[in-house]
Amino acid sequence: IAETTFNKLLSFLISDDKPPNPVSFSFMVPKKEISMVPDMGKWKRSQAYADYMGFILTLNEGVKRKKLTCEYQVSETVEKLLAMLATLDRWIDETPPIDQPSRFGNKAYRTWYAKLDQEAEALVTAILPSERHDAAPEIAVYLKEAVGNSTRIDYGTGHEAAFAAFLCCLCKVGALRMEDQLAIIFKVFDKYLQVMHKLQKTYRMEPAGSQGVWGLDDFQFLPFIWGSSQLIDHPTLEPRHFVEEKVVNEYHQDYMFLECIKFINEVCLWNISAVPSWSKVNQGLIRMYKAECLEKFPVIQHFKFGSLLSIQPVKP
C-alpha cells in the first residue's frame, strides 16, 4: 500500500483528546456497490480499500515483535467491546441447536442471528461516545455482516473482513485510539475468534465460498498475518521450528497464533517451514490475503460501503 495512504491512516488512529471533527461524516446505512466483476477496479481504487488495508497494516506494525503477555492498556471502549462479544456468546448458550435431518447448517443459527439483527444498533450505541451515537446505524451494519450469513448458514473470510471493517469504523469515529491497537488484536479480535469458533461448531456452519482456497483455514485469515508479525526478529524461533510440537507447546502462551502457524505447516499448499524469516512469511501472507480475499469478486460483492468506508476513489 502506498506510504501516503498508510500515513493518512495513522493520522486518524493517532491518539487525541477530541474525536475527529463531527462535521467530517454524513452517516448513512452502508450498501453494496460491487455487483459485477468489472466493478472490482472501483473497489481497489476506493477510499474504503485504502482505509481497510491501511488499518490491517497499522495493526500488523503495532503487533510486531510483541508477546501476548506484554503489557498494554485496556480502555473503556475495549471493555465495552468485550462485553458486547460476551453477550453474543451468551445468546449462543440460550439458543441450542435444534434436531434436524441435515448435519450442517443448523437452523437455530437463524434464531440467534435474528436476535443480533434486532439488537445490533443498541449494542453499537452502547460502545460509542455519546456525541457519536448518530454513527450507530452505519457501524452496526458491519457487525451484522461479521458473524456469517443467515440464509446460507455459512461463514468465511468476507465475514471476518466485516469485523475488521467494524473496528476500523470505530477508529474513524474516535471510539478506538492509537493506544488501543494491541488490545484490539490481543483482546477484542481474540474474543471475536472464540465466539466465531463457537458459532461454527454449535451450528455446524459451512465455510463460505470455495473451501480451502486460502490453503490456511476455511474460516479465518487475519490471525495468520498478525500472528506472523508477532514473531518477526524472534531471537530463537524461526519458521522451521514450527514443525516441532515441543516448540509449539512451549510458546503458545506468548503467541496466540501458534496453533494457526502450526496448521499452515500441515497444509501442503505452502510449506511455511521452508521460508527463511518471519518478515518474509508476513509479507507473503499479506500478498496472499489481497489476492485470495480482497481481490476476489465472490468475497467483495458482499462488502458494504457508507460514509466511513467509502466507494469514492482515493483523493490524490
Side-chain angles (χ1 to χ4, degrees):
I1 193 162
E3 196 62 36
T4 50
T5 308
F6 192 66
N7 291 338
K8 271 189 219 157
L9 220 299
L10 279 170
S11 71
F12 85 61
L13 273 171
I14 291 295
S15 171
D16 187 19
D17 291 338
K18 296 192 293 288
N21 188 347
V23 295
S24 52
F25 300 111
S26 307
F27 298 116
M28 60 191 277
V29 175
K31 59 185 200 297
K32 294 180 185 181
E33 299 276 3
I34 307 299
S35 51
M36 299 177 297
V37 174
D39 294 336
M40 288 296 285
K42 202 163 56 165
W43 152 243
K44 282 187 261 183
R45 289 188 296 274
S46 73
Q47 191 61 52
Y49 182 87
D51 286 350
Y52 179 84
M53 209 52 226
F55 180 69
I56 298 303
L57 293 177
T58 301
L59 291 175
N60 187 60
E61 203 54 37
V63 82
K64 196 181 274 185
R65 308 183 189 89
K66 297 285 194 303
K67 287 183 179 183
L68 245 191
T69 44
C70 75
E71 286 192 12
Y72 51 88
Q73 91 160 38
V74 177
S75 66
E76 192 185 346
T77 304
V78 167
E79 294 286 12
K80 287 175 178 174
L81 279 163
L82 294 171
M84 179 203 77
L85 289 164
T87 300
L88 302 190
D89 194 320
R90 190 182 76 245
W91 291 346
I92 301 173
D93 297 334
E94 292 167 4
T95 318
I98 58 169
D99 282 337
Q100 61 176 48
S102 161
R103 261 184 70 216
F104 287 99
N106 194 284
K107 290 183 176 61
Y109 171 77
R110 291 184 182 142
T111 309
W112 179 90
Y113 185 86
K115 179 94 170 144
L116 173 62
D117 194 38
Q118 195 187 332
E119 302 285 339
E121 225 169 284
L123 290 171
V124 173
T125 302
I127 292 162
L128 292 168
S130 55
E131 71 278 7
R132 276 292 187 221
H133 283 178
D134 53 344
E138 177 163 342
I139 298 176
V141 168
Y142 295 104
L143 177 61
K144 291 191 280 189
E145 295 283 315
V147 297
N149 181 285
S150 64
T151 308
R152 297 185 305 271
I153 314 183
D154 65 8
Y155 177 95
T157 46
H159 301 110
E160 178 192 65
F163 191 72
F166 166 71
L167 295 172
C168 182
C169 289
L170 289 175
C171 285
K172 291 195 87 165
V173 298
L176 287 170
R177 303 187 183 286
M178 189 66 172
E179 62 266 25
D180 290 318
Q181 43 181 341
L182 286 179
I184 287 172
I185 297 187
F186 290 167
K187 287 267 189 219
V188 180
F189 207 84
D190 189 42
K191 179 64 179 169
Y192 165 74
L193 289 178
Q194 288 170 27
V195 177
M196 291 309 103
H197 287 147
K198 188 167 168 177
L199 268 184
Q200 290 151 18
K201 281 208 294 239
T202 305
Y203 303 120
R204 302 299 302 269
M205 297 175 79
E206 301 220 52
S210 49
Q211 297 186 22
V213 67
W214 334 117
L216 298 171
D217 178 326
D218 290 334
F219 294 117
Q220 314 297 158
F221 202 123
L222 292 172
F224 295 92
I225 293 177
W226 295 328
S228 59
S229 182
Q230 276 187 290
L231 290 154
I232 287 174
D233 296 335
H234 193 284
T236 54
L237 290 176
E238 293 170 30
R240 64 189 172 88
H241 292 126
F242 281 81
V243 282
E244 299 168 23
E245 206 174 327
K246 183 168 86 46
V247 173
V248 174
N249 293 341
E250 193 177 335
Y251 287 98
H252 75 98
Q253 296 300 323
D254 288 327
Y255 300 101
M256 71 165 157
F257 307 124
L258 280 206
E259 290 302 318
C260 301
I261 302 292
K262 178 167 169 268
F263 186 76
I264 304 176
N265 276 327
E266 292 160 6
V267 174
C268 25
L269 181 74
W270 184 34
N271 180 7
I272 203 170
S273 59
V275 182
S277 70
W278 287 115
S279 62
K280 285 272 192 294
V281 169
N282 186 245
Q283 288 158 18
L285 284 167
I286 290 166
R287 277 197 305 275
M288 200 172 172
Y289 184 58
K290 287 179 179 173
E292 296 292 358
C293 185
L294 300 184
E295 292 173 13
K296 286 282 191 279
F297 174 73
V299 176
I300 297 306
Q301 64 176 333
H302 302 294
F303 197 89
K304 293 183 177 174
F305 301 84
S307 71
L308 294 165
L309 289 168
S310 167
I311 191 65
Q312 295 308 313
V314 172
K315 293 180 185 75

